[in-house]
């Protein structure tokens, strides 16, 4: 069995027709949900690309792998999906985005050259690279992304698109008369991108995935990782006007959220992005473009799945569809992601397991609590390997897919956010170690612990599913907070760094301690088996002469 | 300034005359205390050799570095004292014991050969090796230690001591008539070891340290790391009868400790070692030998410090004297270490800073809470480097040595113990993840949290300094336990794995965000400085022909 691990970027959990969006149509993704299981209660490990993805690729919580924000290098030697899969005899390929930043200092210290196979895998987060494209590319030393030209820009240039950065000038900009109308300015979001649809980012990456599949010899895992529907919010025709302001659902927000808010919530909603997405004109322009981007993604899924079918690979390929985090889109007076309301922290997750054991669950929706790192464990399990529980902190979902009776349910889900480089951290005047948030969610409650001596947030998911009322400082809910803190504390005491010794090795050691060499607590030889101490008995040897 | 980082193994904090032992004489160690500061409230990070030492060499808590017990490999790439010191232009040499187990699998995965300089440092816990000797060597595949012959055995053979393992047969065994009387059997502890005193382990390692010093070109840090006074409890003449049963202080224990004990305490005291050290005949034999071993260590300190003086290096060498953990010696019905009563978890720590800034504190005793990892930070600080607070979790003690007014006091100290391979774990039927203990101690209280759903232990250090009464299940102390759990939980939320990004880098990033490339939350160009969005404005470029 091969594994197609498809990730979108910034795709909200509820912007799919199978997840209940009233007007958006995603028939190809819906089909996978119909033929697989949709996990409707899935949390990203961090509502920001880089940290979330490092969790997906390591199977570990953010504070376990330490790459807590965009561009924080993943420490050299941290084990990845690629390491686990290759050990199981499966290749692990990258087609698209990872947001990986190499630990250059660590590699230098260990003498690893990025030109070697081992070094290249360290640079690429454990993947073998079919094509790496992080979906943004800014020229010059100020650019936040790798200054090496992206393969997508190379492609555009080969197609005759001019300039140094055609991604910016064509794929992510429209035109207003003779002037460029960049997608970075949201009032341009209803314009068509100035590019042939088939040359835009999502079809290009799909073509790369198809090219990969056509030459691959199994078993393989391919991480097909799209930048879209991530901003800039602009999409080529015909997707740019497929949806309009009438398709924009009402924002989930309440003016009371801004009365006496938690200081962290205030710092985020008070920033430029929050204020901007609170404007109706922004939502009316941006959300139809966002929906168009998703519709284009869905069409490309149709193309990709059609190719699998045509080449007879639908029955030997596990398909996983997910995202790294969501997008507030003006809900809760927020834009982007960063905090832990459902639009930001929950992600879509659909898994189609082609094997007959999964027939019983096809088309079902599972509300079990799920974390993004569970996908990592699922992939390792699907590759036929044992999930190393001393390293990978996620849990395989295959027992859920196969409806096993002994499957385990999570009692709570965890997500984390380090905002020490975000302007909100500066607004609150926090030291880096204090600008950190920890979410713990059960089926019924969600607590957000804030470091730095700031009060927590608390939401009653059963009675306030829209999370409009923060009970974090309400004395009536002290017992609920204590219970949720109990979950958080049990999690913080987990064993996350004993990566060199498996539980199995410990059990083997404990059940067969060494019988020779070290003999502790013995008064004399009568207290142990003669064989154990034989080495230390017999004639006293003679000291060297001259003594 | 050079740094002499001297570590003994299993030396109790209170078995020095400067620490108040009634009859044991340690004039040479006392001299360093007189010329430096003795930290009388120092906790090891784990009461077991391997885990404690990996903390000393990384400056990190046990659950941060993950090498939680003896023989658990330290993950490849984990930063060590050697890495930090070499970055600061100081060599870092090993003379003696580390208990390091190389992460062979991790090294193979990264293509690191143990024969390369980089690989050898990974194998040796970041040190350059003058001589590595872990103080135990057992032949054959069952041996718990490296089967490569130890340099001490090579030395003994060169001196004419016969057999394959003269360390076992001479240095750690006496004779009873014609029969070998091994030190592994404690009834032999009052016999002299069958070896010339100058050939025994402590003088041999001191000679190696002197040889190192005589050829070293500064600046250097030398970790001179003795196996003694660690078991086997046997010492050559004249030390074997320097102390006798009349020097054995009364055991700190109370029969009530064994009434309704905490299950973890019961599992340890009920084991062979606990039962053995609870016998008076064991204490009467073992403790005088232990004291003799310490007296020999002290004499060798006199030799070492005399050499520094003779060669004019006393004034440019910082001297640190400590141990990896203590030894119960029958206190609390325990032998060995493993748990968190003072005889086990506290360690001696004396630092002599030769610089004039330290003159004000010479001969003082500091009761400030101190952890073993603070020594790591102190060494890095003394080498002139900034302590990387995102990696090294200890705090430099130099502000204490220099009596700085802005020095910070620890609110609590932490120690941990993983007993998943210890027989006590099996007695309690625990899974590996549950056989873990966490101690948090303030000046007045000590709480031991037990994973696996087991009740905690609690001691009132102010009113019960001998820790004879466990208040862990006493309802009257629920508030104290809650307060101590508060300390523990704040510690578990610490940021321990963001090792690739310093706080300084984060502050630089936060104060100067990139101004080009990514423009979030903008409605149009009027909302930003023109220069920031210049790249995205101007004429719309022409699409390629044929469109």
């Amino acid at each position: 069995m091969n594994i197609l691990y498809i990730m979108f970027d910034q795709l909200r959990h509820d912007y799919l027709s199978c997840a209940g969006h009233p007007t958006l149509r995603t028939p190809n993704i819906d089909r996978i949900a119909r033929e697989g299981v949709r996990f409707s209660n899935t949390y990203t490990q961090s509502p920001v690309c880089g940290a979330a993805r490092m969790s997906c690729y390591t199977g570990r919580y953010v504070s376990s792998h330490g790459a807590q924000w965009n561009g924080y290098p993943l420490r050299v030697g941290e084990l990845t999906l690629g390491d686990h899969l290759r050990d199981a005899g499966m290749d692990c390929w990258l087609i698209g985005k990872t947001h990986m930043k190499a630990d250059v200092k660590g590699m230098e210290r260990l003498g690893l050259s990025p030109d070697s196979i081992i070094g290249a895998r360290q640079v690429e987060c454990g993947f073998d690279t079919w094509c790496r494209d992080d979906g943004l590319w800014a020229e010059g030393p100020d650019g936040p992304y790798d200054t090496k030209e992206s393969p997508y820009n190379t492609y555009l240039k080969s197609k005759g698109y001019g300039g140094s950065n055609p991604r910016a000038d064509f794929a992510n900009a429209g035109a207003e008369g003779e002037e460029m109308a960049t997608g970075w300015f949201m009032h341009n979001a209803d314009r068509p991108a100035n590019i042939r649809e088939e040359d835009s980012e999502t079809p290009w990456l799909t073509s790369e995935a198809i090219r990969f599949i056509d030459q691959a010899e199994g078993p393989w895992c391919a991480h097909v990782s799209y930048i879209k529907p991530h901003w800039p919010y602009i999409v080529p025709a015909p997707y740019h006007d497929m949806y309009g302001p009438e398709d924009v659902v009402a924002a989930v927000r309440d003016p009371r959220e801004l009365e006496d808010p938690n200081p962290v919530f205030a710092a985020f909603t008070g920033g430029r992005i929050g204020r901007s997405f609170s404007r109706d004109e922004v939502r009316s322009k941006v959300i139809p473009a966002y929906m168009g981007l998703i519709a284009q993604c869905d069409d490309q899924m149709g193309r990709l799945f059609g190719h699998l079918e045509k080449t007879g690979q639908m029955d030997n390929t596990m398909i996983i569809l997910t995202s790294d985090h969501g997008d507030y889109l003006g809900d809760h007076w927020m834009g982007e992601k960063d905090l832990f309301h459902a639009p930001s922290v929950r992600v879509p997750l659909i898994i189609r397991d082609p094997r007959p054991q999964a027939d019983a669950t096809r088309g079902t929706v599972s509300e079990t609590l799920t974390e993004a790192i569970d996908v990592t464990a699922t992939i390792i399990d699907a590759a036929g390997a044992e999930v190393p529980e001393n390293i990978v902190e996620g849990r395989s979902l295959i027992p859920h897919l196969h409806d096993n009776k002994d499957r385990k349910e999570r009692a709570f889900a965890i997500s984390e956010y380090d905002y020490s480089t975000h302007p909100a951290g500066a607004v609150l005047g926090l030291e880096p170690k204090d600008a950190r948030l920890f979410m713990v969610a059960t089926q019924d409650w969600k607590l957000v612990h804030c470091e730095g001596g700031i009060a927590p947030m608390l939401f009653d998911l059963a009675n306030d599913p829209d999370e409009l009322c923060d009970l974090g400082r309400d004395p009536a809910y002290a017992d609920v907070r204590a219970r949720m803190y109990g979950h958080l504390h049990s999690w913080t005491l987990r064993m996350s760094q004993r990566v060199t010794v498996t539980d199995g090795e410990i059990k083997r050691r404990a059940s067969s301690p060494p019988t020779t060499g070290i003999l502790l607590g013995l008064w004399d030889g009568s207290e142990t088996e003669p064989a154990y101490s034989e080495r230390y008995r017999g004639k006293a040897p003679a000291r060297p002469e001259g003594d």
Side-chain angles (χ1 to χ4, degrees), chain A:
Chain A
M1 187 169 67
N2 301 318
I3 301 169
L4 196 52
Y5 177 23
I6 300 167
M7 188 176 284
F8 299 101
D9 196 310
Q10 202 141 333
L11 173 61
R12 276 175 67 130
H13 74 103
D14 54 353
Y15 270 62
L16 297 172
S17 41
C18 61
H21 194 282
T23 64
L24 178 62
R25 297 272 67 84
T26 52
N28 296 294
I29 294 174
D30 295 355
R31 172 205 165 174
I32 301 303
R34 211 164 46 240
E35 296 174 2
V37 176
R38 183 166 70 82
F39 293 90
S40 66
N41 213 355
T42 304
Y43 286 84
T44 181
Q45 257 49 67
S46 186
V48 64
C49 294
R53 287 165 178 270
M54 295 309 108
S55 284
C56 292
Y57 307 144
T58 61
R60 290 158 62 72
Y61 292 105
V62 173
S63 40
S64 300
H65 61 64
Q68 302 183 179
W69 217 70
N70 293 334
Y72 287 20
L74 185 71
R75 69 192 291 176
V76 66
E78 185 77 10
L79 282 152
T80 61
L81 196 53
D83 293 309
H84 300 299
L85 293 187
R86 281 189 291 273
D87 282 351
M90 179 178 270
D91 290 338
C92 188
W93 288 88
L94 170 67
I95 302 154
K97 169 168 176 168
T98 60
H99 221 124
M100 169 71 181
K101 176 103 171 177
D103 177 9
V104 172
K105 277 190 203 165
M107 289 180 62
E108 282 173 6
R109 204 167 49 240
L110 295 179
L112 294 178
S113 161
D115 298 329
S116 66
I117 290 177
I118 290 171
R121 285 172 176 164
Q122 288 295 315
V123 168
E124 296 297 1
C125 201
F127 291 104
D128 287 322
T129 304
W130 176 263
C131 72
R132 158 89 182 261
D133 198 293
D134 269 5
L136 281 165
W137 183 70
E139 304 111 309
D142 278 353
Y145 285 80
D146 198 342
T147 50
K148 194 171 64 177
E149 180 168 291
S150 81
Y152 178 57
N153 260 344
T154 306
Y155 166 82
L156 288 179
K157 289 178 185 176
S158 79
K159 290 289 183 174
Y161 294 91
S164 64
N165 190 355
R167 178 202 297 276
D169 301 344
F170 294 95
N172 287 290
E176 181 178 10
E178 290 198 336
E179 297 298 306
M180 186 189 297
T182 179
W184 290 113
F185 299 151
M186 294 189 288
H187 79 98
N188 295 324
D190 57 352
R191 295 176 192 281
N194 186 20
I195 193 167
R196 286 185 292 244
E197 193 273 331
E198 65 267 30
D199 290 335
S200 63
E201 287 162 283
T202 302
W204 167 74
L205 196 74
T206 307
S207 298
E208 290 295 327
I210 289 171
R211 281 213 304 133
F212 167 82
I213 289 168
D214 283 348
Q215 59 76 54
E217 289 170 18
W220 50 258
C221 172
H223 181 48
V224 180
S225 183
Y226 293 93
I227 178 64
K228 295 301 176 186
H230 191 280
W231 42 250
Y233 303 101
I234 193 162
V235 63
Y239 298 101
H240 74 295
D241 62 359
M242 197 171 275
Y243 298 95
E246 67 282 7
D247 295 299
V248 175
V249 297
V252 177
R253 67 190 186 199
D254 189 312
R256 283 172 296 183
E257 290 181 279
L258 302 176
E259 294 168 13
D260 188 26
N262 178 290
V264 174
F265 184 64
F268 277 93
T269 52
R272 182 173 74 189
I273 294 167
R275 285 183 282 113
S276 183
F277 278 87
S278 296
R279 290 156 64 182
D280 287 339
E281 63 189 344
V282 168
R283 297 187 77 247
S284 298
K285 285 258 190 175
V286 159
I287 291 177
Y290 182 73
M291 292 171 70
L293 287 164
I294 296 169
Q296 186 187 29
C297 287
D298 187 76
D299 283 345
Q300 292 300 317
M301 290 301 97
R303 194 177 149 224
L304 185 59
F305 303 149
H307 187 78
L308 284 180
E309 261 170 354
K310 202 171 61 188
T311 54
Q313 299 188 72
M314 204 66 181
D315 290 341
N316 69 349
T317 303
M318 173 179 273
I319 296 173
I320 300 170
L321 282 162
T322 191
S323 179
D324 56 351
H325 54 74
D327 190 329
Y328 271 107
L329 293 174
D331 289 351
H332 305 287
W333 316 96
M334 294 275 297
E336 280 277 274
K337 42 265 184 183
D338 303 316
L339 294 182
F340 300 99
H341 298 89
S344 168
V345 76
R346 277 173 54 188
V347 291
L349 175 61
I350 303 168
I351 306 180
R352 178 188 185 277
D353 183 336
R355 296 173 291 188
Q357 301 97 302
D359 287 349
T361 62
R362 297 196 195 286
T364 61
V365 176
S366 171
E367 294 182 352
T368 190
L369 278 173
T370 321
E371 297 182 345
I373 56 177
D374 295 337
V375 175
T376 327
T378 304
I379 293 171
I380 296 168
D381 191 2
E386 197 174 338
V387 180
E389 60 190 343
N390 62 317
I391 302 170
V392 172
E393 300 183 284
R395 298 179 193 166
S396 172
L397 297 171
I398 288 181
H400 292 273
L401 297 171
H402 293 184
D403 203 24
N404 286 356
K405 294 301 170 236
D406 60 347
R407 68 193 183 205
K408 289 187 192 150
E409 310 287 334
R410 279 190 181 282
F412 55 86
I414 295 285
S415 191
E416 304 173 64
Y417 190 55
D418 179 331
Y419 60 109
S420 53
T421 53
H422 190 284
V427 166
L428 295 168
L430 295 173
E431 286 293 303
K433 73 180 175 55
D434 291 328
R436 291 183 300 140
L437 308 172
F438 296 83
M439 181 215 77
V440 52
T442 63
Q443 293 281 1
D444 290 336
W445 294 95
K446 182 185 286 180
L447 178 93
V448 178
H449 166 72
C450 311
E451 283 285 282
I454 299 169
M457 301 179 227
L458 179 72
F459 298 99
D460 179 347
L461 302 182
N463 297 301
D464 174 26
D466 286 336
E467 307 172 84
L468 294 170
C469 182
D470 174 9
L471 305 169
R473 290 162 292 166
D474 187 331
Y477 293 87
D479 59 334
V480 178
R481 289 194 295 273
R483 197 164 68 240
M484 296 302 286
Y485 266 110
H487 291 315
L488 180 64
H489 293 144
S490 73
W491 173 78
T492 61
L493 282 164
R494 78 197 180 280
M495 184 159 47
S496 68
Q497 303 301 326
R498 198 199 64 205
V499 295
T500 61
V501 186
T502 65
D503 283 21
E505 281 165 39
I506 285 176
K507 288 176 181 173
R508 273 192 295 281
R509 256 209 213 208
S511 64
S512 60
T515 52
T516 60
I518 292 180
L519 301 171
L520 294 179
L522 298 182
W523 176 251
D524 61 28
S526 71
E527 294 179 338
T528 186
E529 296 288 322
Y532 293 178
S533 60
E534 189 180 10
R535 168 68 189 81
Y536 300 117
R537 292 196 277 199
K539 294 284 170 220
R543 288 204 208 181
E545 286 178 28
D547 187 46

